Structure formats: structure tokens, C-alpha cells
Amino acid sequence: MRKITILGSTGSIGKQTLEVIREQKNIEIVALTANQNIELLEQQIHEFNPKCVVVMDEKKAMTLQKKMGHKTEVLWGMDGLITVSTLSEIDLVVTAIVGMIGLRPTIAAIKSGKDIALANKETLVTAGAIIMDLVKKHNVRLLPVDSEHSAIFQCLNGEQTSAVESIILTASGGPFRGYTKKRLEEVTLEQALKHPNWSMGAKITIDSSTLVNKGLEVIEAKWLFDLRREQIQVVVHPQSIVHSMVEFIDGSIIAQMGLPDMKLPIQYALAYPERVINPYPRLKLGDIGTLTFEEPDLQVFRGLALAFDALREGGSMPIVYNAANESAVDMFLKQEIKYKDIVTIIDQAMTKHNVTICKDETDVIEIESWTRNIVRNR
Ligand code: NAD
Ligand code: MG
């Protein structure tokens, strides 16, 4: 029996993780966490009987504890997240929380020897070097949940790292594929929140439309698979059937395919190294008909180009790329800025930043605060 904590169980990945667990009877939920949606958390408590849950707000946690009685312990805040990520009885943490808030609990989990099923890409983007060192030191598994990285992980099964020439991340291109710079300027919040292929949380949906999501995934891949910047390619594939590919030194390319359904990579991470049967719809290539591929337009989608710049600069620059984007997307969702401002804000923050090397999470959080300040005061 695998015993797990899910950070962010009320979000898109969190809910789909619970769907997977409903099918796979050999996983026990020890802890769940939520930010705002306490009502859904309550339903999850009734169904899965976790030993503990975490709510970010102290008052809401108190109210929930009164309702739950002694059956489930209700913790709160960052301390709560760290506690449930390091419980002695768990062996894996699913990081389905959104944003850099996932950093400290993930690091704490690795330090206590827990395997990680990583959905929270912002963590690896901002602290890749620190996390990969800790993963080695504590001999834990970092299992990708992001569909592209799960695809690459599957393509690399049984291969030597030295045999890898490059990886090819696929991108759907988002709702604004083919747009000109000019047309992109008029995009509304409503349009940006409609992704053609995937149903996801609001932040990653906006990130997918700007291609910043692909930028974050480029940086995520660098750390997960120990690659140089030149070894990472992006290709636009609007059907989202090929989830990503690996090109080997002999010129052979291996791809992983499937319907766009996050339950598959989630299940793969939870069951790894096994494969397990499931009742989900199957891909029928004859029904799909055509798979197409095209180069991304880096002039129009500057959000992706800036990720490669951040990688080239290295050190603390990816933190600035990520934190400026988190702040900007947050403002865009509140309709405080225009769509086109998101990428301008990232660009400006990166231009103002002098790269340093972060030795631990405190340094990372310091650069994050610096960036948020720069964005706020612009
Ligand atoms: P979401 O917005 O649907 O859910 C986020 C979860 O995090 C919720 O449970 C919420 O309560 C919690 N949360 C949000 N802010 C918090 C805060 N300040 N403190 C504590 N908890 C907080 O997001 P999602 O789409 O499920 O994405 C989660 C992560 O997975 C992101 O890093 C995203 O990039 C990554 N991811 C998502 C998908 C997808 O299909 N949704 C695919 C690949 C990767
Ligand atoms: Mg992805």
C-alpha cells in the first residue's frame, strides 16, 4: 500500500489524482490540502478519510476542525503544508499546488526521504539546482506529472543518458496559435481562459496561451533530465496527441502518445515503475487522422523566447522569469493589466536583474520577493 499526501487536492491536478486513486485501490491518502475551496475539501475528507488536512487560513482551519471533530486533524498555513509533506507514515507527496508556494514543502519532503510526484513545475524552475542536489543526496524519486515530462521520462526508459541527442517538447500552441503581435494585443481574459485541448487551473491556462507554460517546461526539463539548453527543442503540435519526444544520437526519435488526459501521467507517476490497467478512453489514431507539427513563432510568443534567455543567463534568472510571470498573471486575472503586459513585465524584471547563485531556498525566496517588488513598483 502506497501512502501519500496530496498538496492542492482541490485543484485540477489534485482532483484528477483523486480520480486515479478511486480506480487504483492500493493507494492510501494520509493528507490533503486546500486554499479556498473548503467545501470540496470537506467532501474529499468524507470520501477518503485522511488523517490530516491543511487549510491556508487559520480561522477557516479552526471552523473546519470544529466540524470534523477528532477524526481528522486540521492544520493551517505553510507550517501545516510542511508537516503533512514530512509525516513519517507517507512515502510519496503529490505536489499539485500552483506557484512557488510549493517550494518549501517540496524541499522538506525530499529532505525527509519522500518520493515526489511533481506537478508543481514552478518549484523546479526556481530551485532546480538545489532540488536536484537534494534528490541525489536523499536518494528519492522525482517523478514527473507534467504530460510532456512524463512522455520524455517514458521515452527514456532503459536508455543511456549519453545516448540522448535532444528532447522535443510538444506545445499545443494555445488558443492564439497563428496570431500576429498586433492581434495578440487585443486578447481578453475570457479568450485567454479558453484552452483548446486541456482543462486546467486558471494560472496554467493563461501560461499556456502566452507559451510561458512551455518556457517553464523547458526549464523544468533541463533540471529533470540534466540537459543543456541546446538539447531542448519545442515544436507546436496542435492536436496534443504526441506528448513529447526524445531524439537519440543515432537519429532515431521515440515519441509517447495518448489522448490529452492528465490522469495518464498522474497514474504513471503513482504506479511507477509498474504500468496498470485503467478504464479511460483509448487513443484511436484513425479517428484523429492527421498529426501536424510546426515551429513556434518566437517573435510573437516572446514568453517562450525569454525562457531560453533565462536559461542562458542561468543562476537566479529563472526565478525572476517565474516570479514576474506569477505576479503578472495574478494581476491579469484580476484585470489590473492587459494581456500583452504579462510578457512585457517578465522582460522588464529580467532586464533589471543581476544574476546571482542561490545556495538554498532562503536565497530563492529573496529573489522572488525582489522580483515581486519590482513588478509591483513598475
Ligand atoms: P489549480 O489552480 O486548479 O489548483 C491549485 C491547487 O493549489 C488548489 O488545490 C489550490 O487550493 C492550491 N493553492 C493555490 N494557491 C495556493 C496557496 N497560495 N497556498 C496553498 N495552496 C494553494 O491548478 P492546477 O491546474 O491543478 O495546477 C497545479 C500545478 O500543476 C501547477 O504548478 C501547474 O503548472 C501544474 N500542472 C497542471 C496541469 C493541468 O493539467 N492542470 C498540467 C501540468 C502541470
Ligand atoms: Mg505540460
Side-chain angles (χ1 to χ4, degrees):
M1 188 67 108
R2 225 171 192 188
K3 297 191 175 183
I4 71 166
T5 284
I6 304 176
L7 301 177
S9 61
T10 53
S12 163
I13 293 289
K15 285 188 284 189
Q16 294 180 85
T17 304
L18 291 174
E19 273 185 63
V20 168
I21 291 168
R22 271 188 203 109
E23 294 295 333
Q24 313 298 331
K25 306 289 176 215
N26 58 347
I27 299 169
E28 183 185 327
I29 308 263
V30 178
L32 299 173
T33 85
N35 188 24
Q36 303 282 355
N37 195 345
I38 313 293
E39 209 174 299
L40 178 58
L41 181 64
E42 271 186 55
Q43 290 171 22
Q44 294 177 344
I45 295 173
H46 288 304
E47 182 178 353
F48 294 97
N49 286 310
K51 176 185 156 196
C52 326
V53 296
V54 181
V55 166
M56 293 316 282
D57 180 75
E58 184 181 5
K59 272 202 191 119
K60 287 182 185 161
M62 302 285 190
T63 315
L64 183 62
Q65 183 69 81
K66 275 193 196 127
K67 264 181 142 172
M68 290 300 132
H70 296 298
K71 214 178 62 168
T72 300
E73 189 180 359
V74 184
L75 307 172
W76 62 275
M78 180 53 78
D79 289 347
L81 293 181
I82 291 174
T83 303
V84 295
S85 302
T86 54
L87 292 169
S88 59
E89 59 266 59
I90 62 165
D91 32 50
L92 179 137
V93 177
V94 180
T95 64
I97 216 162
V98 60
M100 266 188 79
I101 186 98
L103 180 66
R104 292 181 57 206
T106 306
I107 288 182
I110 297 170
K111 284 183 176 167
S112 358
K114 314 300 180 195
D115 287 339
I116 307 289
L118 182 95
N120 179 231
K121 62 190 80 180
E122 294 89 348
T123 300
L124 208 53
V125 169
T126 55
I130 297 166
I131 287 183
M132 296 318 289
D133 276 353
L134 287 172
V135 162
K136 257 191 227 124
K137 184 170 164 202
H138 296 275
N139 196 22
V140 299
R141 280 174 174 156
L142 186 58
L143 301 157
V145 166
D146 216 339
S147 58
E148 295 77 1
H149 304 76
S150 176
I152 290 162
F153 189 56
Q154 293 179 54
C155 295
L156 287 174
N157 245 341
E159 300 284 353
Q160 302 283 345
T161 347
S162 57
V164 176
E165 173 110 7
S166 66
I167 63 159
I168 307 163
L169 293 172
T170 52
S172 72
F176 310 129
R177 184 172 61 89
Y179 273 38
T180 57
K181 246 187 192 156
K182 185 105 200 60
R183 233 181 125 197
L184 218 47
E185 287 182 5
E186 285 134 38
V187 161
T188 65
L189 177 60
E190 200 190 16
Q191 291 167 329
L193 281 173
K194 273 201 195 109
H195 195 277
N197 303 344
W198 298 93
S199 151
M200 310 177 285
K203 190 231 168 208
I204 182 174
T205 303
I206 302 298
D207 290 351
S208 300
S209 78
T210 53
L211 295 204
V212 167
N213 182 53
K214 209 49 56 183
L216 295 172
E217 292 183 354
V218 165
I219 304 172
E220 185 185 11
K222 184 233 152 28
W223 293 112
L224 267 176
F225 305 113
D226 191 19
L227 301 165
R228 282 171 285 113
R229 180 176 143 270
E230 306 74 50
Q231 287 178 292
I232 309 171
Q233 305 176 47
V234 174
V235 68
V236 174
H237 166 51
Q239 297 82 16
S240 297
I241 296 296
V242 175
H243 296 315
S244 280
M245 298 168 259
V246 177
E247 180 173 7
F248 294 90
I249 48 175
D250 58 359
S252 180
I253 294 180
I254 298 186
Q256 187 266 338
M257 293 194 267
L259 289 170
D261 179 353
M262 286 306 295
K263 291 199 293 302
L264 214 58
I266 293 170
Q267 173 181 305
Y268 189 79
L270 291 181
Y272 182 82
E274 314 275 315
R275 281 196 187 268
V276 283
I277 299 172
N278 63 41
Y280 311 138
R282 294 296 164 102
L283 169 64
K284 288 191 78 183
L285 284 170
D287 291 348
I288 306 287
T290 310
L291 299 179
T292 61
F293 301 91
E294 64 200 45
E295 289 297 317
D297 188 340
L298 296 180
Q299 298 300 323
V300 175
F301 292 95
R302 294 273 310 133
L304 176 55
L306 287 171
F308 282 102
D309 292 350
L311 264 191
R312 189 177 41 238
E313 303 259 349
S316 50
M317 197 55 95
I319 307 171
V320 177
Y321 175 78
N322 177 74
N325 178 60
E326 281 191 27
S327 299
V329 171
D330 191 44
M331 289 190 282
F332 177 63
L333 288 170
K334 293 180 186 145
Q335 304 213 267
E336 294 167 3
I337 57 168
K338 291 213 173 99
Y339 183 75
K340 67 173 165 84
D341 299 333
I342 299 174
V343 171
T344 309
I345 285 173
I346 302 173
D347 198 355
Q348 286 172 349
M350 284 174 62
T351 307
K352 289 206 174 101
H353 184 62
N354 293 319
V355 173
T356 61
I357 301 294
C358 294
K359 55 181 190 320
D360 56 25
E361 66 213 75
T362 313
D363 292 351
V364 175
I365 291 166
E366 204 170 290
I367 305 284
E368 181 201 15
S369 315
W370 175 88
T371 311
R372 289 190 191 272
N373 254 326
I374 289 284
V375 174
R376 209 172 302 123
N377 299 328
R378 73 186 261 282

